[in-house]
Amino acid sequence: MIEISNLDSSDILEKCVLLVHASEPFVTLQFSLEHCRQMMQGDYKEVYIATVDGNFAGFVVIQLYGTLKGYIQTICVEPEYRSKGVGTALIRHCEERILKVSPNVFILVSSINPGAQRLYYSLGFEKTGEFKNLILQGHDEYLLRKTIGPIRSFVPAK
């Protein structure tokens, strides 16, 4: 059974850092261990972890403030739990959280990560932008969006 909870341990935080540092697209994009650590921290970020039968299976970082209010910044799943519903569960959890405060859910996906692209498209995300060579020459990032309507008519949950 997949469970999603708030990150509440520095030990688990370090597992998240090591996981993202060893995973694509971050390896190809040459993210340093320190940069991966900084991705997990900061004001207005929420970090959730996924466990399967009590074992760490992955995590997600979201931002609920700023220009892209409702941005899934980072999602990463342990290799042995990929293609087993963990990524979908994390995204569904983010959608539930984000759609209380914004009608839009945003995520960036790398051109070198076709598996993640397939997952996001299958969950209803649509490509809304393309950033050529954003992080590294020859590798593009795609901005995806899932929406329930325009910002002007959105009423946040109480």
Side-chain angles (χ1 to χ4, degrees):
M1 181 166 136
I2 301 169
E3 293 186 25
I4 310 294
S5 61
N6 290 323
L7 175 73
D8 61 2
S9 163
S10 60
D11 292 341
I12 299 296
L13 176 65
E14 195 59 22
K15 279 187 179 184
C16 296
V17 170
L18 294 173
L19 174 59
V20 77
H21 184 254
S23 299
E24 288 296 350
F26 305 100
V27 171
T28 297
L29 297 176
Q30 304 171 7
F31 279 43
S32 70
L33 192 60
E34 185 55 32
H35 187 215
C36 293
R37 191 170 286 111
Q38 290 173 0
M39 288 169 42
M40 307 290 296
Q41 303 167 350
D43 295 337
Y44 310 116
K45 292 184 184 184
E46 295 180 10
V47 181
Y48 299 95
I49 62 164
T51 56
V52 175
D53 299 324
N55 299 308
F56 175 75
F59 73 94
V60 65
V61 180
I62 63 173
Q63 294 188 34
L64 296 177
Y65 300 95
T67 304
L68 294 180
K69 185 177 185 178
Y71 175 53
I72 300 174
Q73 174 202 292
T74 308
I75 183 169
C76 203
V77 175
E78 287 279 7
E80 62 267 29
Y81 293 106
R82 292 179 187 159
S83 299
K84 295 183 178 173
V86 174
T88 298
L90 284 165
I91 291 170
R92 296 270 190 236
H93 180 82
C94 292
E95 290 175 356
E96 184 178 313
R97 173 70 178 105
I98 290 167
L99 293 175
K100 291 178 182 175
V101 299
S102 172
N104 298 299
V105 180
F106 296 100
I107 193 164
L108 275 180
V109 64
S110 182
S111 61
I112 59 174
N113 200 347
Q117 290 177 47
R118 280 190 300 277
L119 173 63
Y120 303 152
Y121 293 137
S122 76
L123 294 174
F125 284 84
E126 296 179 352
K127 184 176 173 183
T128 59
E130 185 172 341
F131 301 98
K132 295 276 189 193
N133 306 309
L134 180 67
I135 300 170
L136 189 65
Q137 185 67 33
H139 301 289
D140 304 329
E141 300 296 316
Y142 307 131
L143 179 63
L144 308 182
R145 174 181 172 234
K146 186 172 184 178
T147 186
I148 58 171
I151 291 172
R152 291 280 183 215
S153 60
F154 178 73
V155 178
K158 297 198 186 229

